[in-house]
Amino acid sequence: MTWAVYDNSINTTGWAQLDIHSNQSLDDSRQAYYFGLIEGLLTADLIQLHWDNNIRHYCDKEKQFCQNLFAFIAKNIEFMKSQIKLYANSDEYWHQIELTLTQLTGLEDGYRSTMYGIRPPGSPHLNVNVTGLILMNLITECGELEQVLQRKVKSVDLNDGHCSAIVRVLDDGSDLLVSHNSWTTYAWMLRLVKRYNMNYSNISGTSQAFSSYPGVIFSIDDYYLINSGLTVLETSIGNYNNSLWSNVVADKVVFEFIRNTVANRLARSGREWSQIFGKYNSGTYNNQFMIVDYNKYKKGTLPAQLPDDVLWVLEQLPGYVESGDVTHVLRQQNYWPSYNVPYFKGVYDLSDYTSQVTKYGDFFTYNKTARALIFRRNAKQVTDMSSLYRLMRYNDFKHDPLSRCNCTPPYTGEYAIAARCDLNDPNGHYPFSSLGFRPHGAIDVKMTNKDLFSKLEMIANSGPTYEQQPPFQWSNTRIVGVLHSGQPDTFQFPPVHVKWAPSSLRNVSFPTTTTITNTIV
C-alpha cells in the first residue's frame, strides 16, 4: 500500500516532516497519483495557509497579466500532453513528465477533498488546474514569466539574492560537506522537510530527501539528497539581456520544476543530470545548479587527489545551458562557493552582468561580490559540521568590513552568507532595493556529509539567522503588510537532525560563537 508519516512540528522545531512511500505493486501512474493524493490529504491545512500567504493576492493588481499567465500555462500543458501521447510509452523522459503531472493532479485532488469536500476521481489523470496548485509550483518561475509576458509592476526583483551554498572537502580529506541556505521573502516560512520513496520502474533516484514547502512536489530551495548518490543544490542567477526572453515559448519548453524533478529521478551522475535537465530548457527560474556525486568520493581522499566528476555545475538562461565538471576547483581551493552570480564566462557575458557592474559595481561580479569575499576569507575555517553551521548562519553586517556598502548607514544585512534585510534601516539610502529594508533574508540552513548522506539525513534549521543578530519575531519587527498565517511568532529554533522515522526531528547543538578575521586571502 501507499503509506506516509506526517509530523507537523512547525511550532516546536520550525519544520513539518512528511515521509511518503508508494505501493510498488501498482503501475507507475497509480503510484504517482496516490503519492500526490496522500500528500494533499495530509498537508491540506498547510497548503491553504501557504496559498493565502503567497498566491491568493498575486493577481489582484494586474488581472490581465494573470489571464496571459494562465493562457501560457494552459498552452504549455497541452504541449506536454501532446508529447506524452506520442512518446511516454517509449521515452523515459516523457514518461517521467507524465508521472510528474499525475502527481501534481493527485496533490490538488487530495487538497480539494480535505478543504472543500470535493470527492477525488480516484484514478490517475492529467487534468491540471491552471489556476490551482501548479501556481505554487511555478512561483519561483514567475519572475521570468513576468518579464516574458511584460507584467507592468513586477512582483519579483531579478537582482534579489536567492540562496548561498558551499561544497567543502576538508583539507585532510576526511569528509565532504554540502550546505545550502535559502533566501526569500519571510512570507514563505511555513516549512516542510520531505522524503519521497517512489517505486517507479526504470529510475535511479527512487528515494529523495529535501527541504520544501506546502503544496509543491519539488524542493524550490533546491536541496536534494538522492539515493542514486547525488546531492543537488542551486543558487539563482539573473538575466539582464532582454533579447533572451523571446526564447521562452509556451509550446517548446518544459517548466524548470518539472525538468528538475525528472533529472533527479533519472540521473546517475552529474553529467547525466545536466544532460537531462538541459532538455526543453524553459529559461525560467534560472540557476547555478551544483551536482555532488558522493559515489565518486571516498573518505580519506585528499582534495588534490579527488577524481573527476565529484562536482558538476550547470547554469541556465533562456535559450542557453552550459555545464561542466568543476572538480578541479575543489582540488585547487578545497571548496566551491555559490552566491547568485554565474561562474561560466559564457553565461555571465550572455546574461549581460557587465551592464549591472557598470551601474552598481562589484555586487554583480563573480570574484569581488561580498559573499565571494566572505567565503574566500572564511571557508578554510570550516573543519567540521559545527564550523560549517556557523559559516552558513553568518551575519555580522554592522561590524564586518565586507558588509560595508555605499549606503546610509554604510552597511547592509544583504552582504552576508545568511542575509537579514529586515534589519536594514527603513529610512536608509541604498543604491538599489536589494540592499535595503525588506522582508527578505536567509530563512534556513541545510547541511549533510558523507555519513549523513548515506542515510539521506541532514542537519537543518528553520528561520532567519539569530547567531549574531536578534531572533526574527513577527510581533517585534518593523515589517508590515506581509501575510504570515500559520507561522510561529518567533524563529529561534535550534538546529534539528532530520531522521526518517516517526517524530524524528531531533534537536542538536552547535557552538554559536565564531571568530572572524578581517584579512582577505
Side-chain angles (χ1 to χ4, degrees), residues 388-404:
L388 176 64
Y389 180 83
R390 294 197 297 271
L391 173 62
M392 295 304 291
R393 298 282 283 178
Y394 176 66
N395 188 326
D396 191 21
F397 73 101
K398 293 184 179 180
H399 304 106
D400 190 335
L402 297 182
S403 299
R404 296 183 72 83

Side-chain angles (χ1 to χ4, degrees), residues 61-62 64-65 146 149-155:
K61 295 181 180 179
E62 207 166 326
Q64 183 58 54
F65 160 75
E146 288 177 5
L149 301 175
Q150 299 181 350
R151 183 171 186 170
K152 295 176 183 177
V153 180
K154 307 295 191 294
S155 70

Side-chain angles (χ1 to χ4, degrees), residues 197-261:
N197 298 275
M198 297 176 160
N199 291 294
Y200 302 158
S201 55
N202 303 318
I203 65 172
S204 301
T206 57
S207 186
Q208 304 177 21
F210 52 99
S211 58
S212 189
Y213 304 80
V216 299
I217 60 173
F218 73 123
S219 170
I220 285 186
D221 288 346
D222 294 274
Y223 186 78
Y224 303 93
L225 312 181
I226 310 172
N227 69 342
S228 59
L230 305 183
T231 291
V232 178
L233 61 162
E234 53 86 353
T235 75
S236 299
I237 56 177
N239 170 45
Y240 306 99
N241 181 352
N242 289 329
S243 69
L244 297 183
W245 298 125
S246 62
N247 293 301
V248 184
V249 181
D251 58 356
K252 293 183 179 180
V253 303
V254 175
F255 284 127
E256 190 275 347
F257 84 90
I258 298 174
R259 293 182 293 112
N260 182 334
T261 299

Side-chain angles (χ1 to χ4, degrees), residues 7-17 460-463 488 493-496 505-507:
D7 176 15
N8 185 348
S9 300
I10 285 176
N11 286 315
T12 55
T13 69
W15 298 94
Q17 185 176 19
N461 185 285
S462 176
F493 301 108
V496 295
L505 296 172
R506 313 291 173 81
N507 288 349

